[in-house]
Amino acid sequence: MDLNTLSALLFSAATFLSPKIDRARLERAADDMALAVSLHETPFPGPAGDVAAGLALVAIGEHESGYLEDVRICKMNGDNGRSVSYFQLMRGAAWAGATREEICPSGPLAAWLALRVLNLYPAKCTDKRPQALFNAYAAGSCAAASQAATDICAIWERVSAHAGLVGASCKRRRDIRFGVPAAPVTPSAPPAAPASPAHDVTPVPVEVAVREGGPRG
């Protein structure tokens, strides 16, 4: 799926979950998450695995921050200041060597790091269910069940169904594909073409491309 189409789909999903949040803020978040998906392998199988990965980011952002601006810019942080951004990335391995000064102003970098965390676990987990990926995101272990992980996965299932995906289940790993999509939510204005789409940044190391601002610069 091309970057603009994926961004529009993720915007629709975020608006479905957070209808009272400023639409421009959600459009920006959707752009950032779509870019992250374009720069990663997907941890979900099937022809719509990339969409499922983007919706996983949407679900994590909804649960962890509700897309509050003060959380995005790290004015409000979780875990006694150790977790930052919409995705509440905990200082340490999840930051992949990045600094607070790099993550907090960069939505593309935060989204890229969040999807990187999800991608760490498919090869490590004997439990291949999507729920195990969200367990690992929330607690660092595929076997570490938590209410947060259960809630995030439930949001992912819900928003995946809204987007028209078939096979997105917390309880079993299945190929994910499109069925009949829900009616899309049209952005308040046509999304601007990314200044640095994925095919333009491939000659540059991914980490550098994302840290330099992705599609928004």
Side-chain angles (χ1 to χ4, degrees):
M1 181 175 289
D2 71 82
L3 198 60
N4 283 339
T5 302
L6 180 58
S7 179
L9 190 151
L10 299 184
F11 170 75
S12 175
T15 303
F16 168 67
L17 293 173
S18 299
K20 295 182 180 179
I21 296 297
D22 177 70
R23 291 170 68 91
R25 188 188 311 164
L26 293 181
E27 287 176 30
R28 175 71 178 263
D31 284 351
D32 296 342
M33 291 184 282
L35 178 67
V37 171
S38 76
L39 295 173
H40 271 291
E41 295 296 323
T42 174
F44 300 100
D50 56 343
V51 177
L55 294 174
L57 292 179
V58 171
I60 292 168
E62 168 69 18
H63 183 273
E64 296 294 275
S65 67
Y67 298 103
L68 296 177
E69 180 67 7
D70 282 351
V71 180
R72 183 189 72 80
I73 63 175
C74 304
K75 187 175 180 180
M76 292 174 59
N77 304 300
D79 299 304
N80 296 315
R82 294 178 296 162
S83 296
V84 301
S85 85
Y86 284 151
F87 311 101
Q88 288 298 277
L89 297 156
M90 183 175 284
R91 185 173 61 241
W95 290 14
T99 65
R100 180 184 296 267
E101 290 72 26
E102 290 173 315
I103 298 169
C104 292
S106 176
L109 176 57
W112 185 86
L113 289 170
L115 189 51
R116 173 186 169 275
V117 172
L118 282 178
N119 267 320
L120 290 175
Y121 294 100
K124 296 181 179 181
C125 298
T126 55
D127 184 349
K128 301 301 183 182
R129 297 172 305 145
Q131 182 64 66
L133 293 181
F134 292 109
N135 290 351
Y137 187 93
S141 169
C142 301
S146 66
Q147 189 61 54
T150 298
D151 291 345
I152 292 170
C153 200
I155 295 170
W156 174 72
E157 274 192 347
R158 179 182 172 217
V159 78
S160 293
H162 173 77
L165 298 190
V166 175
S169 169
C170 293
K171 296 181 179 180
R172 63 183 67 179
R173 180 179 172 85
R174 298 185 292 191
D175 278 1
I176 299 173
R177 58 184 175 79
F178 274 106
V180 179
V185 175
T186 304
S188 56
S196 301
H199 62 268
D200 290 335
V201 300
T202 47
V204 183
V206 168
E207 296 88 343
V208 174
V210 176
R211 287 181 186 176
E212 289 182 352
R216 296 288 185 167

